[in-house]
Every structure is written in structure tokens, then in C-alpha cells.
């Protein structure tokens, strides 16, 4: 595998990384395409197969693991597997795109290790674990149990921040969006076009 650049955004759930990734996807000069992950977790809200995720059963997911189809995969929460299919990155590279990932910290660091020379790994830091709790509750797409599971994982994830190429503090969204845009443009080697 070779091709364009890989841009990874990792962070605890609720840090705002998805919002940042969406913003970057709207910047044409960055020439980014979103890496659609595979997951065995159930669909939430308005999520669509083949747009937000490739939803699959646990046994389908395990079959892909056995076939060595994944670039990386993780059991992010119990029985909830997530992974990046090699075929997905190949597909986007074949379109001449730089690929952007919204994945967990372990998966993000794994991809960085596999492609050290063409990967920018960004960690998005939330203001505090309490603020994360508030954001996840506001989103209210999941049960309290699931939210608590995500919060318990957040502290472990926060400790991995120093292993990333760069940490963006998402204390103020507009500032974080602008910083992310500038960073990725610099890495790819293009001029920032639209400021927010
Ligand atoms: P959610 O269930 O909120 O969509 O995602 C839960 C966590 O799994 C998030 O941190 C998300 O970034 C991560 N995730 C999504 N896709 C992948 C993937 O392909 N690989 C890994 N390792 N994590 C992923």
C-alpha cells in the first residue's frame, strides 16, 4: 500500500473530534475523504450503512479478522468491534484522496506506526472529563450504562495524548476548527482557503 497522506483524529468519545473531521472534509483544498470504518456495534439514530460505518454482525467482523482484511481493529467496548478495512484505504487512495480517520487512540497509533512517513496523528483534548460527561448526556443517543463505559475509558485515552504528533485543545470549538484546518493544510502542503 502507498498513496496519499493519512490524517488521524483520535480522542475520547464526546471530545468533538467528529465535528472537527466533518469541518475538514468540507475544505476542498485538503482533498480529504473519510475512511468509513467497519463496526459490530448497533446503528445509532440516523446513521447509515456505507456512510457512517459499514455495519456488520459480530461473526462477519470476526471473519474479516481471520482473513486479515483489517489494517487495524479494536474491541473498543465489549463486543463492540471497530476496524479499518485495508480495502477502504485502497479505495480512497485509488481516487487520489488523502484519507482522514475518526478512530480510537489505539487504532490511531497503530496506523501511525504502520505508515510513519505519511501519517499525521492528531489527538483532540476535551476541557475535562466532567465536560465530556455533559456532552455525551446532551447527545442522548445511548443509555447511562453505555455513557459511563465511555467515560471510564476516557481517562485511559487521555493518558495517550503525548504519543501523538500534535494535541489540539477543544475548549473553544471555533479555535479548534481553525487550528485543525491550519495544521492539516500545513501537513499536506496546501494554502488554507476558507477561514471560518
Ligand atoms: P462510536 O461508537 O461513538 O461511533 O465510536 C466509538 C469509538 O470507536 C470512537 O472513539 C471512534 O473513533 C472509534 N472508532 C471508530 N472507527 C474505528 C476504527 O476503524 N478503528 C478503531 N480502532 N476505532 C474506531
Amino acid at each position: 500500500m502507498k498513496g496519499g497522506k493519512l490524517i488521524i483524529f483520535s480522542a475520547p468519545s464526546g471530545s468533538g473530534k467528529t465535528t472537527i473531521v466533518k469541518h475538514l472534509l468540507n475544505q476542498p483544498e485538503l482533498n480529504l475523504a473519510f475512511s468509513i470504518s467497519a463496526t459490530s456495534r448497533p446503528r445509532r439514530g440516523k446513521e447509515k450503512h456505507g456512510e457512517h460505518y459499514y455495519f456488520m454482525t459480530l461473526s462477519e467482523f470476526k471473519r474479516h479478522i481471520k482473513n486479515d482484511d483489517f489494517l487495524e481493529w479494536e474491541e473498543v467496548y465489549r463486543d463492540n468491534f471497530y476496524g479499518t478495512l485495508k480495502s477502504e484505504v485502497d479505495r480512497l487512495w485509488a481516487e487520489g484522496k488523502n484519507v482522514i480517520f475518526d478512530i480510537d487512540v489505539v487504532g490511531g497509533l497503530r496506523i501511525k506506526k504502520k505508515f510513519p512517513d505519511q501519517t499525521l496523528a492528531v489527538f483532540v483534548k476535551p476541557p475535562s472529563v466532567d465536560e465530556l460527561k455533559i456532552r455525551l448526556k446532551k447527545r442522548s443517543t445511548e443509555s447511562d450504562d453505555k455513557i459511563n463505559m465511555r467515560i471510564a475509558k476516557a481517562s485511559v485515552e487521555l493518558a495517550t495524548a503525548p504519543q501523538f504528533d500534535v494535541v489540539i485543545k477543544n475548549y473553544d470549538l471555533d479555535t479548534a476548527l481553525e487550528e485543525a484546518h491550519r495544521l492539516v493544510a500545513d501537513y499536506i502542503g496546501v494554502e488554507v482557503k476558507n477561514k471560518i
Side-chain angles (χ1 to χ4, degrees):
M1 278 166 85
K2 59 174 200 241
K5 298 274 195 323
L6 303 175
I7 311 292
I8 290 163
F9 275 82
S10 293
S13 194
S15 305
K17 70 177 182 302
T18 306
T19 309
I20 296 177
V21 167
K22 275 192 192 143
H23 174 72
L24 296 175
L25 282 163
N26 281 331
Q27 313 305 323
E29 81 278 10
L30 300 179
N31 189 29
L32 293 172
F34 180 65
S35 165
I36 303 166
S37 296
T39 185
S40 69
R41 84 143 160 77
R43 228 173 275 208
R44 267 199 321 242
K46 291 189 179 141
E47 288 177 333
K48 285 200 188 109
H49 178 79
E51 184 178 328
H52 300 92
Y53 281 107
Y54 299 118
F55 292 99
M56 50 181 75
T57 61
L58 196 52
S59 63
E60 265 178 288
F61 198 101
K62 288 185 172 166
R63 186 169 47 75
H64 282 297
I65 295 176
K66 231 177 172 176
N67 288 348
D68 194 26
D69 292 334
F70 287 112
L71 200 54
E72 63 76 36
W73 62 269
E74 276 302 308
E75 187 175 6
V76 177
Y77 306 105
R78 194 201 295 199
D79 275 349
N80 284 359
F81 285 70
Y82 297 79
T84 307
L85 288 161
K86 292 175 183 168
S87 57
E88 178 66 2
V89 176
D90 280 339
R91 177 178 78 83
L92 300 173
W93 272 347
E95 290 175 13
K97 296 288 191 179
N98 298 307
V99 183
I100 188 163
F101 300 79
D102 173 345
I103 66 179
D104 94 315
V105 295
V106 181
L109 292 171
R110 209 164 263 163
I111 291 183
K112 172 81 194 173
K113 215 169 170 186
K114 281 197 176 160
F115 302 99
D117 302 331
Q118 63 200 101
T119 304
L120 176 70
V122 184
F123 186 92
V124 182
K125 197 164 176 262
S128 66
V129 174
D130 279 347
E131 178 63 25
L132 271 190
K133 226 181 264 184
I134 294 166
R135 289 185 190 177
L136 287 173
K137 291 216 161 129
K138 252 196 211 152
R139 189 159 88 181
S140 73
T141 44
E142 287 175 304
S143 64
D144 277 359
D145 263 11
K146 290 241 166 90
I147 290 177
N148 288 336
M149 196 167 75
R150 284 172 189 266
I151 289 165
K153 198 165 185 268
S155 314
V156 179
E157 292 168 326
L158 283 168
T160 67
Q163 296 177 57
F164 283 75
D165 295 322
V166 54
V167 176
I168 291 182
K169 292 179 182 152
N170 186 10
Y171 299 179
D172 169 71
L173 184 61
D174 283 350
T175 311
L177 293 179
E178 207 170 310
E179 194 183 344
H181 190 172
R182 189 173 30 79
L183 250 168
V184 174
D186 276 358
Y187 185 71
I188 289 173
V190 295
E191 297 260 329
V192 168
K193 284 241 172 80
N194 297 316
K195 290 243 172 79
I196 45 169

